[in-house]
Structure formats: C-alpha cells, structure tokens
Amino acid sequence: GKGAAKGALMGAGKEGLKQEAPRRLPQTQDVLRVIDTLQGRSQSRATIRMAEDIANQLRDGQQVNLIGHSEGGVNTVAAIAQAKRKLADEREGEIRDANPGMDAEAARMQANQEVEADMAKNLNVTLLGTQQTGLPDGPKYTRLANDHDLVPDAIAGAQDAVGQKGYDKEPGPPSPDVVHFPDVEKDEEDSFVTRALTVSVNPAAAHSMKYSYIPKMRTKEKGASCC
C-alpha cells in the first residue's frame, strides 16, 4: 500500500539504520520473499548488515532500539536471530577456551544465557503491522497491530504455510500481548476525522506508518518523539 513507508529503524546513540518496507506485501513476490526469510533462506544485504550492526553495538554494551514495520519487521526478527547466533558462537568459544574440560552442551547453554541477558538489558524491539510470533528470546518486545491492517494476518498465514506458529493463543515470553487498536487519536499534523475514516475503510492506510502506527506511538507515549 501507498502508506507502507519505513521498514525498520535502528537507533543506538547517534547512529541509525533504516530499511525500507516493501509497498505491496500482499502481492505474491512479497509473500514469497517473506517465506524465504521465515525459512532462513534470505540473503538480504540489509538484513545481514543489520545483524552485524546489532552484534557490534551489543558487544560494546550500547543500547539498541529497533522498529520493524511490515516485511521490514520480518527482516528485523531475522537479523536479531542472526546476531544472537553470532554472539552466542563467539561467547561459547570464549567459555570453552577458559574451561577446556567443560561439556560442549553446557558451554552452549551458558553462552546463550549470557547473550540473552545482554539482549534483555540493551535491546528493545517494536514490531508494527508485521511478524508477531517466532521471536528470538532475549530482547524486550512491543507488538502493535491495527485491527484493519491485513499484513499481520498475511505474515501469520505465511508462517503457518511453512510449519511455524503464526498466531499466539497464549502469548508468553518473549512475546508480550499484541496491542490492537482500531484508530488513532488526534495529533498536530492531521485531521482526526480524515485520518480515522481513512484508516477504517482503507487497509493500506491502516498499514501505513504515517496514518496508523506513528500516530499510535505518539499517543501511546503522550506526545514523546517515537522515531
């Protein structure tokens, strides 16, 4: 849809990384690309770069804030998983070097626990109109979905198609409840009536950052800058 603007935004201090979301996720090629990513076959340079940046900044103990929208959200989840594997592999090597006689499985478990603890402390992820399940353990997640947005259902259907759980019956860690909302409140930029009507009758507007998710985040934070 016309309103599908930013795919993913990463901020850590003054550094940032943007990834543009495809504009027609329900189209066949976009769904196929999502399926490739869900199955771990994606070689997207943007996803690989994001994974490297996440790993680098977490190594430095920096706070990392990610916003993933639409297919950009799927790529964000994939990048987090890649970064987590990379950091866990590195940490496992360090643990085994320091403890030569340690059982390999115990070293791997300890490495995962330490990486997840670092992510819980420093990695915050907001997912907007995108993948809602299959999230790597560790980071703190916020999940938002407009009730008129068709894209989360399309992604959930793609997950079901590849044998992954697309819907939460009883959300639990690391996935908090999805915050559902029908419309958004008035802000300084747009007419409330125009935007509410547009979002309610136009799925593309319901999926958009401009008309749906950014206004929701602004009202959620009571006027605080969100991205």
Side-chain angles (χ1 to χ4, degrees):
K2 202 172 181 181
K6 298 176 183 176
L9 169 67
M10 181 172 75
K14 297 181 180 179
E15 299 294 327
L17 172 66
K18 286 185 180 180
Q19 180 181 331
E20 294 299 320
R23 299 181 180 277
R24 294 179 301 280
L25 180 61
Q27 299 298 322
T28 302
Q29 66 180 14
D30 296 327
V31 173
L32 292 175
R33 194 161 54 236
V34 165
I35 289 174
D36 281 344
T37 302
L38 292 170
Q39 292 184 317
R41 296 198 302 254
S42 173
Q43 295 299 316
S44 164
R45 284 181 293 179
T47 302
I48 293 170
R49 179 187 168 194
M50 183 183 290
E52 291 173 350
D53 284 350
I54 292 170
N56 288 337
Q57 295 184 57
L58 289 178
R59 282 193 204 97
D60 292 340
Q62 296 187 48
Q63 280 281 322
V64 181
N65 300 299
L66 297 173
I67 298 175
H69 172 246
S70 191
E71 186 183 334
V74 179
N75 293 338
T76 297
V77 172
I80 293 168
Q82 289 179 25
K84 181 178 177 180
R85 284 194 298 270
K86 184 177 184 62
L87 292 170
D89 286 345
E90 293 173 359
R91 186 63 188 131
E92 181 182 1
E94 294 169 356
I95 291 170
R96 297 186 71 175
D97 286 344
N99 304 275
M102 190 174 189
D103 178 74
E105 185 175 346
R108 186 65 182 178
M109 183 178 300
Q110 181 178 332
N112 275 320
Q113 289 173 345
E114 292 181 6
V115 170
E116 287 175 8
D118 287 343
M119 287 186 160
K121 181 180 178 182
N122 292 319
L123 182 54
N124 302 295
V125 184
T126 301
L127 300 174
L128 311 173
T130 186
Q131 180 176 349
Q132 298 175 351
T133 63
L135 311 180
D137 287 309
K140 296 177 182 177
Y141 295 97
T142 299
R143 305 186 297 174
L144 276 70
N146 189 299
D147 287 335
H148 301 283
D149 186 353
L150 303 180
V151 172
D153 284 341
I155 293 174
Q159 288 182 270
D160 287 339
V162 299
Q164 299 179 12
K165 185 177 69 170
Y167 299 92
D168 278 333
K169 290 185 178 180
E170 296 180 2
S175 303
D177 288 329
V178 179
V179 177
H180 288 275
F181 61 100
D183 290 313
V184 293
E185 297 178 17
K186 183 177 180 180
D187 65 19
E188 297 177 357
E189 294 184 4
D190 295 299
S191 161
F192 167 74
V193 174
T194 300
R195 187 168 66 257
L197 287 175
T198 301
V199 170
S200 296
V201 302
N202 184 346
H207 183 57
S208 77
M209 291 287 283
K210 177 180 179 181
Y211 289 106
S212 182
Y213 291 102
I214 287 178
K216 175 62 178 178
M217 292 171 72
R218 283 179 178 151
T219 58
K220 189 174 186 293
E221 299 298 328
K222 297 182 180 179
S225 175
C226 64
C227 38

